[in-house]
Amino acid sequence: MQQISSFEQYQQQYKHSVEKPEEFWAEVAGSFVWTKKWDTVLDWNFTEPKVKWFDGAQCNMSENCLDRHLETKANQTAIIWEPNNPNETFRSLTYKELYEEVCRFANALKKIGITRGDRVCIYLPMIPEAAIAMLACARVGAVHTVVFAGFSSSSLSDRINDCDCKLLITADAVYRGEKKIDLKKIADDALLQTPGIKNCIVYNHRDSPVLMMEGRDIWWTDAVKDCSAENVAEAMQAEDPLFILYTSGSTGKPKGILHTAAGYMVYVAYTFLNVFNYRDKEVFFCTADVGWVTGHSYLVYGPLLNGATTVMFEGIPNYPDHGRFWDVVDKHKVNIFYTAPTAIRSLETYGEAVFKSKDLSSLRVLGTVGEPINEEAWHWYHRNVGKENCPIVDTWWQTETGGVLISPIANVTPLKPAFATLPLPGVQPVLLNETGEEIHGNDVQGNLCIRFPWPGMARTIYGDHNRFHQTYFSTYKNYYFTGDGCRRDEDGYYRITGRVDDVINVSGHRIGTGEVEDAIDEHSLVIETAVVGYPHDIKGQGLYAFVICTGTITDEESLRKEIGKIVAEKIGAFARPDKIQIVAGLPKTRSGKIMRRILRKIAEGDTSNLGDTTTLLDPAVVEQIKAGAL
Ligand code: WTA
């Protein structure tokens, strides 16, 4: 694969990718191992929608991540695992070792009856076994769905049932900082409600006591016992599903975003190599959890496809102290560091002290992802972490896009703080106004859409293609609608301004207001809830819940605690509201619709101009809410 090395070359490649997309992507795809080459490069329409890349081809992701590198990189480190507790020893796996572990586990999967197309749920902490399990699924053609280990048992069972998984892979327990999380116990609760699960493989990570259900639960070590370290990868059809990853939207339950074998592979490999300007033998550290799309694309698949060394960090940025990320960078001589703006803002509050005695000179490129980065945090990152020597790539993308769409290319694109800058080759962004017309020219703002397919895009929502169409392709006919607002400045540079729907980005975690409202409504005293986002200094956005209850509440504090607990149980602790205001009523129109615009203003603390309130059923409600605002 050719790496872009100058801005002129980027411009040429971009032009080529727009004029002759099929030629462009066929050339990129040429550097992979294909069991069979494609018949057609692209077949698409955005009306159904139907998108097929490299149709007729056969390939395997695991083979391209592992087998392909064995000749030249067998002894190079593939994964460096840094434990939660820095005093424990770290682990590294070479490409050869990773290959053997994956083959063994793939054989174990086959032995228990997992075959092509079966869905397998992975609920593991940040340990190499998470990557091994993903790669082994890909190897045998099973479709993995990784669930972030911060999700509760009911979120886990919902996901398992939605895509009808046969197998769950989990671990006994994990420490995050000083907190112990008993994953198997959470899994056991989930498995009470998952009739489709036949087996549960348990990795013994902490020697923590667990219950093993006879006939269902198997220790990882027993599963791989006697399994060969060789395995022939299944030749998958280009458009066979590779994985399902659940994400939140404006309404309803989380959506199982489905990515397919060939297009996703080609796209994440290409974007990893170029966005980060990855150079052979470099160490890449992405701080995202494997449970989110960033972990899939740029901790596991992108780096391994490029034969890189990827760091997997089990812990948290503030344990044992606030300098932990920099310890990891120093210890493993990290060259490329990729994190979320929320982590940067949080570390910023501890000042320069966190860098004392840390050698960050190995760093060459920095990246951010997940939410808009404010200029101040950008400069802090650039100055203190990058020592003004490292380009920052502000990468804009989504679970649905599979890989980065708009971002600087490190050392190539002239930077502008807080701007995702320009589209990558193959990506055709447009801004649309409320009535669906394209906004041309520069120094403009609108809703961000993409008008042409790229190989890494999601193909459907598992089991609900109609919802896929409705959510992404119906707001604007013949465009993929991202849900983000965006400004194109006078230089044609893109700056993402944030979601224009009811999705809230809390510390880079994507949360649907509807899901949180549903969870709060489960409290016996709650009648109705409206949740909105508000600007939060560290988290980017916080969650503000307005709640109507029955009767008179005498102890509001306890009620707030109980509500927070319900959200943690139903979704996960990360979705707990920051503020809960008990209100007598919600601002509704005469037709009963909640006017969220007004609630957002109140949550932001900006009540001077609430806009037009004449359509409200009872304007007095607004005054009451304003008076009690937190
Ligand atoms: C937001 C994460 C501004 C955006 C990869 C998007 C960003 C949502 C950026 C997707 C960025 C992601 N600048 N906003 N660089 N990157 N976002 O699916 O609102 O967890 O729609 O994927 O995060 O979140 P998701």
Side-chain angles (χ1 to χ4, degrees), residues 248-545:
S248 298
S250 285
T251 52
K253 59 187 175 82
K255 303 173 285 229
I257 299 297
L258 186 133
H259 285 283
T260 54
Y264 174 84
M265 172 178 83
V266 169
Y267 197 71
V268 294
Y270 176 80
T271 51
F272 175 82
L273 181 72
N274 281 295
V275 168
F276 300 104
N277 183 240
Y278 180 76
R279 295 176 189 165
D280 208 23
K281 299 207 166 51
E282 282 191 326
V283 178
F284 181 83
F285 177 17
C286 164
T287 68
D289 193 281
V290 285
W292 308 112
V293 75
T294 308
H296 282 59
S297 301
Y298 299 111
L299 196 152
V300 179
Y301 290 127
L304 296 179
L305 283 165
N306 282 283
T309 299
T310 183
V311 176
M312 188 183 232
F313 172 43
E314 185 187 30
I316 51 177
N318 52 5
Y319 174 81
D321 60 43
H322 296 281
R324 187 67 195 279
F325 276 168
W326 322 125
D327 281 335
V328 178
V329 168
D330 189 350
K331 181 166 166 187
H332 300 295
K333 299 292 163 242
V334 169
N335 304 109
I336 308 174
F337 178 72
Y338 190 34
T339 196
T342 188
I344 298 165
R345 287 190 299 264
S346 139
L347 294 171
E348 209 182 324
T349 57
Y350 299 96
E352 323 279 292
V354 293
F355 298 106
K356 282 228 171 79
S357 73
K358 310 283 156 73
D359 178 9
L360 303 185
S361 61
S362 57
L363 288 174
R364 192 176 64 79
V365 173
L366 303 176
T368 70
V369 60
E371 45 169 336
I373 180 164
N374 46 312
E375 278 188 50
E376 203 215 326
W378 193 99
H379 285 294
W380 185 89
Y381 194 31
H382 191 248
R383 195 170 47 242
N384 293 291
V385 183
K387 315 293 178 202
E388 294 182 341
N389 272 325
C390 306
I392 297 179
V393 289
D394 175 355
T395 65
W396 173 82
W397 59 295
Q398 311 177 297
T399 305
E400 295 86 340
T401 70
V404 177
L405 294 195
I406 304 181
S407 166
I409 294 175
N411 297 319
V412 165
T413 313
L415 304 173
K416 200 181 267 193
F419 278 76
T421 73
L422 298 169
L424 296 181
V427 177
Q428 301 187 30
V430 289
L431 301 184
L432 298 189
N433 66 18
E434 295 303 326
T435 50
E437 286 137 8
E438 275 192 34
I439 307 170
H440 297 283
N442 288 341
D443 201 7
V444 290
Q445 188 151 344
N447 287 345
L448 179 61
C449 293
I450 316 287
R451 72 159 156 232
F452 195 85
W454 62 101
M457 69 184 291
R459 301 296 196 259
T460 193
I461 291 174
Y462 184 82
D464 199 346
H465 196 65
N466 189 34
R467 190 173 176 204
F468 187 62
H469 171 260
Q470 275 299 323
T471 313
Y472 306 106
F473 298 91
S474 70
T475 317
Y476 301 112
K477 212 165 174 289
N478 287 322
Y479 295 94
Y480 165 76
F481 177 41
T482 65
D484 280 317
C486 183
R487 189 170 116 69
R488 188 165 54 220
D489 79 350
E490 55 289 354
D491 297 325
Y493 267 36
Y494 290 83
R495 179 179 194 153
I496 312 299
T497 50
R499 302 287 307 195
V500 293
D501 55 11
D502 288 324
V503 171
I504 301 180
N505 230 312
V506 180
S507 301
H509 294 166
R510 196 168 144 175
I511 298 173
T513 50
E515 281 171 75
V516 183
E517 289 165 4
D518 287 350
I520 296 177
D521 288 347
E522 301 239 345
H523 191 286
S524 58
L525 294 179
V526 172
I527 299 175
E528 196 176 5
T529 309
V531 172
V532 297
Y534 71 97
H536 187 288
D537 283 349
I538 306 289
K539 298 179 173 185
Q541 279 187 297
L543 292 175
Y544 194 127

